[in-house]
Amino acid sequence: MKIIRGIDNLNNEFTQCVLTLGNFDGVHLGHQQLINHLIEQGKKLNLPTAVMLFEPQPLEFFSKRAPTRLTSFKEKVRLIEKLGIDYIIAVPFTQTFANMSANAFIQDWLINKLNAKYIVIGDDFQFGRDRKGDINLLQQYTPNNHFSVESMQTFVWNNLRISSTAVREALFNSDFELARCLLGRDYAIQGRVVHGNALARQLGFPTANIHLNRKKPALQGVYFVKVKNCCSNQYYHGIANIGIRPTIEGKKAILEVNLFDFSGDIYGQYLDVTFVCKLRDEKKFDSLADLKQQISQDVCTAKQISAKLTN
């Protein structure tokens, strides 16, 4: 799979394609169904498949109160790549792009630049200035431009409409089993271990710190987690804190993971952190001593859970 960053960098990668576009936050089962359908059409037409993503996501651009984010751009790309897509077109969502009319987007981008012969979108997807573009507008262009369009119906599981919003709600309620059913996999965050302020090590609980690369993570609190070292393929249990760390007046959310029975150097390596259950909310403690005592309790609770899973 190849990532094309910006439509102007398309060059001569392909002359025609089949295309879908959207936010794809979480790459849940509904997204997977749509992308798999696109791949089937690509095989029928013998054309490359392309997924157009927007970064930041439109709501993040327009509002500071945008929904929490399930996946960073890198995580989203990794999940889509696994499905077998040929190209990802990553579009910077700027004010200029936001001002583009839906008609101009269709004519200039989808027809002139991408030469899309088949386009599929979710049934609720809208695009262009004032969100005036939808499946009905796309269909107006099909007779003269020799491309077909299709709107995929929402994927439903147990009478529940699968959506990024539904996944966020499941995570907010710490219902990781429901999140797994909606995503088709356990909810996890993957990232590279970076250097922190070493406070956790001073407290006796060294952590692997991972920058979240998103403004608002979908989780906040302390969790029992399963961790895979993507470099060594080793697995661990541990506890993770995801949040701003109010006791030390933190400002930016970060993921800190304490791996049980581990003392090696993993700076720069990638971890895949799967969230199993929530232990408690993040809170501000009166002193570092109180924080240390609470972490000790968290570790004890998490190890009891770990023991039940391994027995």
Side-chain angles (χ1 to χ4, degrees):
M1 187 188 77
K2 185 169 183 178
I3 301 175
I4 300 171
R5 297 184 180 275
I7 198 74
D8 292 333
N9 292 320
L10 186 62
N11 299 322
N12 297 316
E13 293 291 341
F14 51 80
T15 56
Q16 297 177 345
C17 71
V18 296
L19 174 74
T20 186
L21 52 158
N23 291 320
F24 298 97
D25 190 23
V27 194
H28 54 61
L29 285 178
H31 295 143
Q32 294 170 41
Q33 180 191 45
L34 188 152
I35 290 173
N36 286 332
H37 184 71
L38 180 74
I39 291 172
E40 291 177 5
Q41 294 300 313
K43 291 178 180 177
K44 289 180 181 179
L45 298 174
N46 195 29
L47 291 175
T49 54
V51 174
M52 182 180 290
L53 303 175
F54 308 99
E55 193 66 31
Q57 295 179 165
L59 284 178
E60 294 172 339
F61 177 83
F62 286 114
S63 174
K64 293 181 179 180
R65 306 179 73 176
T68 58
R69 186 150 177 176
L70 300 171
T71 43
S72 68
F73 175 74
K74 286 185 177 180
E75 290 170 321
K76 199 183 297 186
V77 166
R78 177 175 57 86
L79 292 167
I80 292 174
E81 182 177 20
K82 285 184 177 180
L83 297 174
I85 286 294
D86 297 313
Y87 294 92
I88 283 181
I89 303 170
V91 177
F93 200 93
T94 63
Q95 189 61 59
T96 300
F97 182 74
N99 289 337
M100 186 185 300
S101 70
N103 292 88
F105 177 72
I106 294 172
Q107 185 64 57
D108 296 343
W109 286 43
L110 305 188
I111 297 173
N112 294 345
K113 294 181 178 179
L114 291 173
N115 197 14
K117 292 303 178 184
Y118 169 83
I119 300 170
V120 59
I121 58 174
D123 57 6
D124 60 350
F125 183 70
Q126 295 174 299
F127 59 92
R129 186 172 62 240
D130 300 323
R131 303 183 70 192
K132 290 186 176 180
D134 57 14
I135 186 65
N136 295 318
L137 182 61
L138 280 168
Q139 288 172 338
Q140 294 177 24
Y141 282 81
T142 58
N144 298 325
N145 292 284
H146 307 293
F147 69 84
S148 59
V149 298
E150 189 174 1
S151 174
M152 290 285 290
Q153 294 298 310
T154 299
F155 193 84
V156 176
W157 175 84
N158 270 10
N159 297 318
L160 176 63
R161 179 182 182 274
I162 294 182
S163 66
S164 300
T165 299
V167 177
R168 292 187 192 101
E169 291 177 354
L171 294 176
F172 179 80
N173 295 321
S174 301
D175 191 341
F176 293 103
E177 178 59 28
L178 176 57
R180 185 185 65 79
C181 292
L182 300 178
L183 292 167
R185 64 183 187 278
D186 291 321
Y187 183 71
I189 292 176
Q190 186 180 105
R192 186 169 63 90
V193 179
V194 298
H195 288 277
N197 59 12
L199 176 61
R201 183 176 298 276
Q202 295 173 28
L203 295 175
F205 302 96
T207 58
N209 302 305
I210 297 172
H211 288 166
L212 294 171
N213 297 316
R214 65 199 80 178
K215 293 182 179 179
K216 296 167 63 177
L219 294 176
Q220 189 172 58
V222 180
Y223 300 84
F224 169 61
V225 295
K226 296 179 180 179
V227 181
K228 176 187 176 182
N229 185 320
C230 300
C231 300
S232 66
N233 284 325
Q234 291 181 301
Y235 292 83
Y236 306 91
H237 286 177
I239 60 169
N241 183 88
I242 183 169
I244 61 172
R245 302 166 295 169
T247 302
I248 61 169
E249 305 295 337
K251 302 297 182 184
K252 185 177 181 181
I254 192 171
L255 173 60
E256 298 177 298
V257 185
N258 173 253
L259 303 176
F260 298 157
D261 306 315
F262 178 80
S263 59
D265 182 356
I266 53 174
Y267 287 119
Q269 298 184 31
Y270 281 83
L271 300 183
D272 193 274
V273 182
T274 298
F275 295 84
V276 180
C277 65
K278 188 171 185 177
L279 303 179
R280 61 174 175 86
D281 290 329
E282 189 179 42
K283 61 176 290 187
K284 183 174 182 177
F285 293 91
D286 293 331
S287 67
L288 292 180
D290 290 342
L291 174 58
K292 181 176 181 179
Q293 182 179 8
Q294 181 61 63
I295 295 175
S296 296
Q297 294 177 9
D298 296 336
V299 169
C300 181
T301 302
K303 285 188 174 181
Q304 290 174 356
I305 298 171
S306 176
K308 291 179 181 179
L309 293 178
T310 54
N311 289 337

